[in-house]
Amino acid sequence: MADEELEGIRRQRMAELQSKHGESGGDPQAQQEAKQRETDMRNTILAQVLDQSARARLSNLALVKPEKAKAVENYLIQMARFGQLGGKISETGLIEILEKVSQQTEKKTTVKFNRRRVMDSDEEDDD
């Protein structure tokens, strides 16, 4: 990805953010258009960063786990903005990124058993 493209995207994003904060109480159509521009920009960045198979895998993930797909998209866009990506990411590269994200957001589940004692105090009252 060329530096000029990234700089253009940054400028466009800054202009959108400034206009969004300036028009926070604007009409719904303007907000919808801003949201559409933002999704278009995200899609163009992801199209530049991911190859076709990785893009397909990410879209499949978005159908099943939208919050995880959004986190991965944000991670990829951030890496692209800071120039940390060397080229297009293949499907195997995306799988590695998905594994990293899932390890970071993995929830540990614990099961605790509360067993009743044999000589419970309720049994003593029966006498």
Side-chain angles (χ1 to χ4, degrees):
M1 211 174 346
D3 291 333
E4 300 86 31
E5 292 176 1
L6 285 174
E7 192 59 38
I9 292 171
R10 285 185 190 131
R11 275 190 252 115
Q12 180 185 6
R13 178 72 175 142
M14 285 300 293
E16 286 179 10
L17 287 174
Q18 289 172 352
S19 67
K20 186 191 297 184
H21 290 294
E23 303 177 27
S24 61
D27 65 270
Q29 186 177 3
Q31 290 177 353
Q32 186 178 5
E33 289 175 4
K35 193 173 187 180
Q36 181 64 33
R37 277 185 276 150
E38 183 180 349
T39 57
D40 289 343
M41 187 179 65
R42 289 176 69 89
N43 288 335
T44 56
I45 292 172
L46 290 173
Q48 292 172 353
V49 171
L50 298 173
D51 68 355
Q52 195 65 28
S53 60
R55 189 112 167 95
R57 181 175 286 271
L58 188 60
S59 65
N60 287 341
L61 179 69
L63 293 173
V64 179
K65 296 184 177 182
E67 64 280 346
K68 187 179 239 183
K70 195 77 157 175
V72 171
E73 287 176 0
N74 290 337
Y75 178 72
L76 289 170
I77 290 171
Q78 182 181 9
M79 286 179 65
R81 284 187 176 155
F82 293 122
Q84 296 175 345
L85 298 176
K88 286 198 171 203
I89 296 177
S90 64
E91 187 173 4
T92 56
L94 182 66
I95 291 172
E96 292 173 5
I97 291 171
L98 287 170
E99 288 174 352
K100 285 181 188 177
V101 170
S102 66
Q103 286 175 355
Q104 291 173 354
T105 60
E106 185 175 305
K107 295 180 182 175
K108 302 285 184 193
T109 57
T110 57
V111 178
K112 183 176 178 182
F113 291 100
N114 290 328
R115 299 181 188 265
R116 291 187 177 188
R117 294 190 174 93
V118 175
M119 299 299 284
D120 202 5
S121 63
D122 292 339
E123 293 177 7
E124 295 174 6
D125 294 337
D126 293 337
D127 291 338

